[in-house]
Amino acid sequence: MKTIYVNETNYKEIIKNLNSRKEDFLSDIDYTVLKIINDIKEKGDKALLYYTKCFDKAELKELKVKDEEIKEALEIVDDKFISIIEEAKKNIYDYHLKTLQSSWMIFKNDGIMLGQKVTPIERIGIYVPGGKAAYPSTVLMNAVPAKIAGVKSIALASPPDENGKINPYILAAAKICDIDEIYKIGGAQAIAALSYGTESIEPVNKITGPGNIFVARAKALVYGKVDIDMIAGPSEICIIADDSANPKFIAADMLSQAEHDENAASILITTSTKIAAEVIENIKIQKENLSRRNIIEKSIENMCLILISDNLKTSFDICNEIAPEHLEIMVENPFEKLPLVKNAGAVFLGKYSPEPLGDYFAGPNHTLPTSGTAKFSSALNVESFMKKCSIIFYDENNLKKVQDKIAYFAEKEGLDGHANSIKVRFEDGKSN
Amino acid sequence: MKTIYVNETNYKEIIKNLNSRKEDFLSDIDYTVLKIINDIKEKGDKALLYYTKCFDKAELKELKVKDEEIKEALEIVDDKFISIIEEAKKNIYDYHLKTLQSSWMIFKNDGIMLGQKVTPIERIGIYVPGGKAAYPSTVLMNAVPAKIAGVKSIALASPPDENGKINPYILAAAKICDIDEIYKIGGAQAIAALSYGTESIEPVNKITGPGNIFVARAKALVYGKVDIDMIAGPSEICIIADDSANPKFIAADMLSQAEHDENAASILITTSTKIAAEVIENIKIQKENLSRRNIIEKSIENMCLILISDNLKTSFDICNEIAPEHLEIMVENPFEKLPLVKNAGAVFLGKYSPEPLGDYFAGPNHTLPTSGTAKFSSALNVESFMKKCSIIFYDENNLKKVQDKIAYFAEKEGLDGHANSIKVRFEDGKSN
């Protein structure tokens, strides 16, 4: 944990390395991942079963989860959890439904129609990590917007444990989200199978969901063949606080970020040296009672930063340069600062909007841009599962009026075939 | 040019190879491109000037285009062309303005506010190819939506000729679109400079625009550091026609596609053998008068396909599987077939809506998904230059009501640091 005094002239240098935590292209990992992808492309299910045995230690006969297994899982998961998932699902549904876009059309000059036909992507794959980090919330955050978009066919992939079982909480969440097609596959081999298909798995058009470095690199390498949501880096939080903030809350929220990953970043930007000192103290106290203390301590050592800034405006400038995945604003009148927020995945306003509220429950998506990519990208949303086809109609009269202009433009670009396509329609005065 | 009879059972096999025209990852080109990127990262302007001398044969002292050069260009370009560009720009502006999204908010339970803050990407780079294929329309199609989105800072990159000049039509279009920052750089070195910055070029957050294979691979390799619009493959058109269609128009439109590139694909899907024969005849006649006949003949040889299908429904199924960049529907009552269109970049309806109308003039963007990526992606649009930050606010009372549920969810995911972040806010009954 480092404490640094920052001002508007030195901050860019200080945070420069913060967003270069992602893996580079053409690393050794890429070659391993590329071999796995090629094996799946060539040998299909056989290679898939082989890698599942290698990496997940599971000897499977069938890759697809059976109805009985889903029923079993629903019996294991307690009713309280089911009802919480259902409530969270409703919140996620209500929020995302607001962003569903419609096809539209405009009419011009009594003979021109232009518009967009908005349609769902036909088939998607959701990747859900297994093992120690089995997150049923991932299922909700990916499946709900896809369902709202109207995606017809969803395949969920998650690695099995040594007994060949997928985590029952993941299966329960999948059932609640009406996903019936679930495969016991993980890692780069799962991404390859979803992208290229095998004997038993139909290929998808887009893959979403988080994963370890092998999953992330596999997604980067299949991008183009299929679409992907993003190449996610480690998680991060930025908290902007003035002296009205509660250091206990800040410490707790930084710790909740730190427990994700040794490379997860927790950054406090504050105008108050008093708050800074109290947060450091509170982090020390609170971390003692947390089960993932080992990860937390490494994460704090590596990626925890406390920046003491001159003024609130500079705090926001710094934050916009970091472009954090999560931003908590714990100052007086946090809403009045919203105009200053330019680059962030999600912003949590005030003392009672901690980040875990957004991870599980409030409604907005928890799949957010990391490593500074909030400068140019957004949370997973309904649009992520739709695409837009432009619609163009001109009647004869309207094309005739502009034929010379289009032909002239085309000829200036050296494309007389394009000009010909216009001219041929009118060369006999009025062609059919 | 091949003519093939297709039906609903054999078409998938026939079109299987059509969408695998894109370059693979980790090809030899990637290593060349990666070397260029690393050189620019390390040596900045010096490397940029070196590569510009190597590849563009231009010895430059300054990379940035001067005001005098823009003035000069405006004198070279004729008034008729300027006025056509201005009319096209207005059409593009009007269409794209319809898609500008606003920030929004919803209110729940007298204490919950959720929404999205929609903001422009701060700085973008537009790449415009030079040389023989100097397309001022590219400038319009990229700059206009970016301006509508509210992008503050736009850098345009285009390779110079041997005299160190950028094509005057490109400069004129840039001026009309209020782009003042123009650099004489091209190829992978331009993409690297825009992504990482040099002494004289500030880095951007997103790069859009077409380019040759080096530009395309460079964009793929910098993706993640910056955003990109797409990795474009060769252009393609699919025309669905019944016996009401005019074979002369179809031939002209296929030729306009073929003149782009030896790998550009022109595909006719028709239920009429008569139309098929007449289109072949018309292609032979019309191509004789086109200046890019050499490219056209190779393109027709390589990538021209005439599919004769059983019925119109199968024609659309085939087309959806191809997911063409451009789709022309030349059948009776083309609008009634719009529900059958699932995957296409843009659809042109009827006899008087040829593809070049969309390339230059109608308003919708001509930057469209190629190589089957219309299955999951859309035309460049205003949204391409914006990002959305989720907004989450809960007041004390509303968080208190759901605190147990969130903490329970977090604990089930093994993240007690997340549970702690909720609990710490209420542990003393009512904390500050």
Side-chain angles (χ1 to χ4, degrees), chain B residues 153-430:
Chain B
S153 160
I154 301 179
L156 188 148
S158 191
D161 64 15
E162 289 180 21
N163 303 315
K165 300 270 181 202
I166 289 182
N167 180 293
Y169 291 89
I170 290 175
L171 291 183
K175 184 67 191 165
I176 288 167
C177 293
D178 285 323
I179 300 171
D180 294 316
E181 201 184 321
I182 304 168
Y183 296 98
K184 299 172 182 177
I185 51 174
Q189 62 274 20
I191 304 303
L194 290 170
S195 306
Y196 293 96
T198 66
E199 299 88 329
S200 66
I201 302 173
E202 280 285 308
V204 303
N205 304 124
K206 179 163 187 162
I207 300 172
T208 66
N212 63 18
I213 183 71
F214 290 93
V215 170
R217 293 313 304 156
K219 282 168 72 182
L221 290 168
V222 298
Y223 172 60
K225 164 71 175 128
V226 298
D227 196 18
I228 58 171
D229 51 350
M230 58 183 67
I231 305 165
S235 195
E236 72 233 347
I237 196 169
C238 210
I239 300 174
I240 295 178
D242 63 15
D243 50 20
S244 76
N246 185 324
K248 226 197 243 178
F249 300 179
I250 296 173
D253 297 357
M254 290 174 81
L255 287 167
S256 82
Q257 197 60 30
E259 77 173 335
H260 271 298
D261 181 334
E262 290 163 17
N263 285 312
S266 315
I267 301 153
L268 168 65
I269 312 173
T270 180
T271 45
S272 160
T273 48
K274 183 166 169 286
I275 289 284
E278 288 173 7
V279 166
I280 293 169
E281 198 50 37
N282 265 282
I283 285 177
K284 281 183 197 150
I285 298 165
Q286 290 182 36
K287 80 175 162 59
E288 292 307 314
N289 297 318
L290 298 176
S291 63
R292 294 164 73 94
R293 204 178 61 204
N294 282 342
I295 295 172
I296 288 171
E297 282 174 350
K298 281 180 198 147
S299 168
I300 288 176
E301 175 70 26
N302 292 338
M303 300 302 304
C304 181
L305 207 55
I306 295 179
L307 302 176
I308 298 165
S309 75
D310 284 3
N311 60 65
L312 219 48
K313 172 70 172 62
T314 301
S315 303
F316 279 94
D317 287 345
I318 295 169
C319 178
N320 285 325
E321 196 60 38
I322 295 171
E325 183 187 10
H326 308 99
L327 165 62
E328 289 185 357
I329 304 181
M330 296 211 241
V331 302
E332 277 193 288
N333 300 319
F335 268 91
E336 292 178 12
K337 302 302 172 211
L338 211 40
L340 297 177
V341 177
K342 281 177 186 157
N343 304 322
V347 56
F348 299 78
L349 296 162
K351 285 176 195 163
Y352 293 97
S353 311
E355 193 240 283
L357 167 66
D359 282 347
Y360 297 116
F361 203 78
N365 212 287
H366 78 193
T367 313
L368 294 164
T370 57
S371 306
T373 58
K375 286 181 183 173
F376 51 73
S377 53
S378 313
L380 191 73
N381 53 34
V382 176
E383 287 168 80
S384 311
F385 299 103
M386 309 196 82
K387 66 258 178 342
K388 296 164 184 174
C389 170
S390 311
I391 300 168
I392 299 172
F393 172 83
Y394 266 53
D395 67 2
E396 185 184 349
N397 191 33
N398 274 290
L399 186 66
K400 202 172 186 174
K401 273 193 247 171
V402 296
Q403 57 165 311
D404 288 339
K405 293 173 188 170
I406 300 172
Y408 194 79
F409 202 142
E411 278 158 2
K412 284 287 175 189
E413 290 199 348
L415 297 174
D416 59 355
H418 282 58
N420 176 60
S421 146
I422 306 290
K423 287 177 179 170
V424 78
R425 283 165 160 85
F426 301 102
E427 61 188 358
D428 318 324
K430 188 186 163 182

Side-chain angles (χ1 to χ4, degrees), chain A residues 38-283:
Chain A
N38 282 331
D39 277 356
I40 301 294
K41 275 167 82 170
E42 278 168 30
K43 296 172 207 152
D45 283 346
K46 208 182 141 194
L48 209 42
L49 290 166
Y50 167 78
Y51 283 116
T52 306
K53 193 179 159 188
C54 271
F55 296 132
D56 305 311
K57 316 287 176 219
E59 287 207 50
L60 301 178
K61 276 176 195 149
E62 250 181 277
L63 295 164
K64 196 170 176 181
V65 171
K66 292 193 188 109
D67 287 349
E68 301 93 82
E69 294 177 274
I70 297 171
K71 266 184 213 156
E72 244 173 59
L74 286 170
E75 278 162 26
I76 296 168
V77 177
D78 57 299
D79 291 349
K80 182 176 175 186
F81 191 70
I82 297 283
S83 87
I84 294 171
I85 283 193
E86 277 169 349
E87 191 173 339
K89 186 190 160 203
K90 190 184 176 319
N91 287 343
I92 297 165
Y93 183 89
D94 290 348
Y95 177 86
H96 284 81
L97 191 61
K98 297 278 171 193
T99 66
L100 178 61
Q101 293 181 35
S102 303
S103 300
W104 57 273
M105 206 159 239
I106 51 171
F107 303 87
K108 286 167 77 170
N109 299 2
D110 291 339
I112 297 173
M113 291 183 267
L114 303 170
Q116 275 180 339
K117 185 180 183 204
V118 187
T119 52
I121 293 175
E122 284 192 44
R123 178 169 163 82
I124 64 148
I126 299 174
Y127 187 84
V128 184
K132 277 168 277 173
Y135 298 150
S137 56
T138 302
V139 180
L140 301 181
M141 290 294 183
N142 284 273
V144 173
K147 286 276 177 181
I148 291 173
V151 173
K152 267 193 211 135
S153 161
I154 301 178
L156 188 148
S158 192
D161 64 15
E162 289 180 20
N163 303 316
K165 299 272 181 200
I166 290 181
N167 180 293
Y169 290 89
I170 291 174
L171 291 182
K175 184 67 191 165
I176 287 166
C177 293
D178 284 321
I179 299 171
D180 292 318
E181 201 184 321
I182 304 168
Y183 297 97
K184 300 173 182 178
I185 50 175
Q189 62 275 19
I191 303 303
L194 290 170
S195 305
Y196 293 96
T198 67
E199 299 89 328
S200 65
I201 301 173
E202 280 286 308
V204 303
N205 304 124
K206 179 163 187 163
I207 300 172
T208 66
N212 63 19
I213 183 69
F214 291 93
V215 170
R217 294 311 306 156
K219 282 169 72 183
L221 290 168
V222 298
Y223 172 61
K225 165 70 176 129
V226 298
D227 195 19
I228 59 170
D229 50 350
M230 59 183 67
I231 305 164
S235 195
E236 71 234 347
I237 196 169
C238 209
I239 301 174
I240 294 179
D242 63 13
D243 51 19
S244 76
N246 185 324
K248 225 198 244 179
F249 300 179
I250 296 172
D253 297 356
M254 290 174 81
L255 288 167
S256 82
Q257 198 60 29
E259 78 173 333
H260 271 299
D261 183 332
E262 290 163 18
N263 285 311
S266 315
I267 300 153
L268 169 64
I269 311 174
T270 180
T271 44
S272 161
T273 48
K274 182 166 169 284
I275 289 285
E278 287 174 8
V279 166
I280 292 169
E281 197 50 39
N282 264 281
I283 285 177

Side-chain angles (χ1 to χ4, degrees), chain A residues 26 31 78 87 95 117 137 259 341-342 347 351 383 387-388 390 405 408 413 418 425 432, chain B residues 26 31 78 87 115 117 137 246 259 341-342 347 351 383 387-388 390 405 408 413 418 425:
Chain A
L26 305 181
Y31 290 95
D78 57 299
E87 191 173 339
Y95 177 86
K117 185 180 183 204
S137 56
E259 78 173 333
V341 177
K342 281 176 186 155
V347 55
K351 286 176 196 164
E383 287 167 79
K387 65 257 177 347
K388 294 164 184 174
S390 311
K405 293 172 187 170
Y408 195 79
E413 289 199 348
H418 282 58
R425 284 165 160 86
N432 182 24
Chain B
L26 305 181
Y31 291 96
D78 59 298
E87 191 171 339
K117 185 181 184 204
S137 56
N246 185 324
E259 77 173 335
V341 177
K342 281 177 186 157
V347 56
K351 285 176 195 163
E383 287 168 80
K387 66 258 178 342
K388 296 164 184 174
S390 311
K405 293 173 188 170
Y408 194 79
E413 290 199 348
H418 282 58
R425 283 165 160 85

